[in-house]
Amino acid sequence: MKQVYFDHAATTYMYDEVVDVMMDAMKENYGNPSSIHQFGRKAKVSVEKARKNIATLLGVSSNEIVFTSSGTEGNNLILNNAVHNLGVKRIITSKIEHHAVLNVVEKLSAENEVAVNYVALDESGMIDLKDLERLLSVNDEVTLVSLMMVNNEIGNILPYARVAGLCENHNALFHTDAVQAIGQYSIDLKNSSIDFLVASAHKFHGPKGVGFVYLKKNQIVKPMILGGGQERGVRSSTENVSGILGMEKALTLSLGKIEGRTNHIIEVKKYFYEKLSSLSSKIKINGDAPDSEFSIPKILNVRFPLQDKMLLFNLDLRGVAVSSGSACQSGGSKVSHVLKEILPEEELNKTSIRFSFSERSSKAEVDYVISVIYSLINKD
C-alpha cells in the first residue's frame, strides 16, 4: 500500500544532516554544560555556538535567545512573565490562537490577573487590523498583544510587521507564536518591533522536545521553572545538548533553501487544489484563498460537502496521513475552535481536513490522495 504523509504542520521529518549532528553529540558531546571539567566545557561551547548561530540567522543578539523544551513552554513562559513581572494588565489576542496561548490567557483572566480582549476576525479568519487599532486606543493600561504569525490550522499569515507597528505606536508589547512560521521565511527581528517570539524545532525538520524563545533586550524575564539557574536564570534545567545542536542545524538548512523549497510546495499545493476542485465545486477552503499572499504554502484546510466522521480514519487505512486540525487535539472529536469562529453554524458539521506539505511532497502523491478521496466520497 502506498503511504503519503501530508501532515507536516503537525510535525516534520528530520533532515539527515540533523540526525547526523545529533548522533555525534550523543556519542561524543555528552558532558553537562554546567560542569566545569573539559567534557562540560565542550558541551557548553557547543550550546553557546548554536545559540549564536540561531541569533545571527534571526538578526538578534545571542543573549536574546533562550532554549526551551517546546513552543508550549515558550508561550507559557512569556504570557505568565508579561503579567506577573512586566505589569501587563490587559492582553489582546484572538479566539483562533493555539491552545498554548488561549488556555494560559483564560487562566490568567479567570484568576483576575488580567483583562482580555479578543480582536475581530473576517470570514476567512484574518485579523481585523482596524479593530486591533481600536482596542489599542481605548485605554492606556499596560497591554500585551499576542497573535500567532501563522495559524496552525488554516494557514493564514499574520501581517506581523503592521501589527508590530501598531503595537509600537500604542506602547504595547507584542508576542507572536511563530511555531508554524520559523524556518518557512527569513525573519529579521533586528528591525522588527516584535518583543517576544516562540519557535519549536520539530516544525522545521529538527527534533521534538526542543525550541527557543526570543526575548527582546531590556525585557525582564523571571523563571517559570526553578532550579539550577541555567539559561541565564530564565529557564532552569540541564540543556538538551543534542536537541539544541540538531535544532540549530535544522534552522540553518531550512533557511538556506527557502526559495527552492517554497516554490516546490506552492506548485504541489496549487496542483492539489486544482485536482480537488475538479472533484466537486462544493469543496471549499477554510481560511484565506490558497493563492493569497496571506496563505502559507504548506497548509491547505479543506471543507468537504459531506458529514463523515470516519473520513480521516479511512484515509489512514489507505496510507494517507492528514489531520483535522491541531495535532495537539487531533485525538478528540470536538469541532475545531478555529473553524467555530469563522464558519456559519450550518457548515460546522461538514468534514474539514488539514493537508500540509513539504519539499518531499510530490504531484504523484497528490494524484494518489485525490484518487483515494474520490473513492471515499463517492462510495455510495
Side-chain angles (χ1 to χ4, degrees):
M1 179 178 64
K2 188 175 181 65
Q3 290 189 319
V4 177
Y5 186 78
F6 277 0
D7 201 19
H8 289 90
T11 196
T12 56
Y13 62 89
M14 285 199 291
Y15 288 137
D16 291 341
E17 298 94 329
V18 172
V19 176
D20 291 342
V21 165
M22 294 181 67
M23 288 295 292
D24 181 68
M26 286 186 276
K27 289 178 180 179
E28 306 295 339
N29 200 356
Y30 50 82
N32 187 321
S34 296
S35 298
I36 62 173
H37 49 61
Q38 60 183 311
F39 296 92
R41 294 197 304 272
K42 179 181 178 182
K44 182 69 171 179
V45 168
S46 297
V47 167
E48 292 311 313
K49 182 179 178 181
R51 191 192 313 275
K52 182 177 180 180
N53 288 345
I54 288 172
T56 299
L57 289 169
L58 298 175
V60 299
S61 300
S62 58
N63 60 10
E64 296 175 298
I65 300 296
V66 172
F67 295 127
T68 65
S69 66
S70 65
T72 295
E73 183 193 338
N75 285 320
N76 273 259
L77 171 65
I78 290 167
L79 290 166
N80 279 289
N81 180 76
V83 173
H84 296 148
N85 302 315
L86 297 179
V88 167
K89 299 298 182 184
R90 184 176 62 138
I91 294 176
I92 299 174
T93 187
S94 83
K95 291 187 177 182
I96 61 172
E97 302 299 301
H98 192 282
H99 282 293
V101 168
L102 287 179
N103 287 350
V104 180
V105 169
E106 289 168 5
K107 179 178 181 293
L108 292 169
S109 176
E111 294 172 349
N112 297 316
E113 296 193 68
V114 67
V116 179
N117 295 139
Y118 295 99
V119 67
L121 308 166
D122 68 16
E123 64 278 2
S124 68
M126 293 298 294
I127 300 297
D128 185 332
L129 293 177
K130 289 184 178 179
D131 189 55
L132 175 60
E133 186 167 24
R134 179 189 65 81
L135 289 171
L136 286 167
S137 303
V138 294
N139 64 51
D140 57 359
E141 289 184 316
V142 181
T143 297
L144 173 77
V145 173
S146 180
L147 295 170
M148 64 200 315
M149 194 171 285
V150 174
N151 188 276
N152 61 303
E153 292 198 22
I154 57 177
N156 286 4
I157 301 172
L158 181 75
Y160 66 89
R162 293 183 63 187
V163 171
L166 288 174
C167 291
E168 184 175 32
N169 291 341
H170 292 276
N171 297 314
L173 296 169
F174 179 32
H175 156 241
T176 185
D177 176 340
V179 165
Q180 292 289 349
I182 294 294
Q184 304 298 315
Y185 304 101
S186 293
I187 299 171
D188 180 11
L189 292 173
K190 180 180 180 181
N191 298 308
S192 169
S193 298
I194 294 173
D195 296 286
F196 307 104
L197 177 144
V198 174
S200 184
H202 75 104
K203 303 294 187 180
F204 50 85
H205 304 285
K208 299 173 182 64
V210 64
F212 66 86
V213 295
Y214 159 69
L215 309 169
K216 196 169 188 176
K217 288 178 182 177
N218 303 320
Q219 300 296 353
I220 300 171
V221 178
K222 295 184 179 180
M224 186 173 70
I225 299 174
L226 301 174
Q230 290 88 349
E231 294 298 294
R232 300 186 306 284
V234 174
R235 198 263 182 183
S236 292
S237 185
T238 300
E239 291 91 345
N240 176 0
V241 178
S242 61
I244 290 169
L245 301 189
M247 175 169 63
E248 184 269 327
K249 186 66 173 180
L251 187 59
T252 299
L253 292 171
S254 293
L255 294 178
K257 51 183 179 179
I258 281 179
E259 185 176 355
R261 182 188 65 219
T262 300
N263 290 338
H264 173 76
I265 295 173
I266 288 172
E267 282 299 310
V268 171
K269 180 180 181 179
K270 179 182 178 182
Y271 184 70
F272 186 69
Y273 177 61
E274 289 172 349
K275 290 288 186 176
L276 272 176
S277 299
S278 69
L279 291 181
S280 171
S281 61
K282 295 182 180 179
I283 293 176
K284 304 297 181 183
I285 300 302
N286 298 318
D288 210 18
D291 57 352
S292 165
E293 63 176 310
F294 295 112
S295 177
I296 196 169
K298 70 180 286 187
I299 295 176
L300 189 67
N301 195 304
V302 180
R303 187 167 76 257
F304 293 93
L306 74 165
Q307 299 178 26
D308 185 354
K309 294 182 179 180
M310 298 298 291
L311 186 55
L312 275 175
F313 178 72
N314 285 321
L315 283 166
D316 184 42
L317 286 179
R318 289 158 177 81
V320 180
V322 291
S323 66
S324 58
S326 174
C328 304
Q329 293 194 314
S330 61
S333 59
K334 294 182 179 179
V335 175
S336 156
H337 72 287
V338 174
L339 299 185
K340 276 186 176 180
E341 290 301 317
I342 66 173
L343 294 182
E345 187 71 28
E346 63 272 15
E347 294 293 308
L348 290 176
N349 287 329
K350 294 180 180 178
T351 300
S352 289
I353 293 178
R354 181 187 67 183
F355 300 87
S356 47
F357 315 104
S358 80
E359 63 206 79
R360 284 189 182 177
S361 303
S362 69
K363 291 183 178 180
E365 288 180 324
V366 169
D367 289 338
Y368 176 72
V369 173
I370 291 295
S371 69
V372 171
I373 291 172
Y374 178 82
S375 68
L376 291 174
I377 65 177
N378 292 283
K379 59 186 175 182
D380 296 329

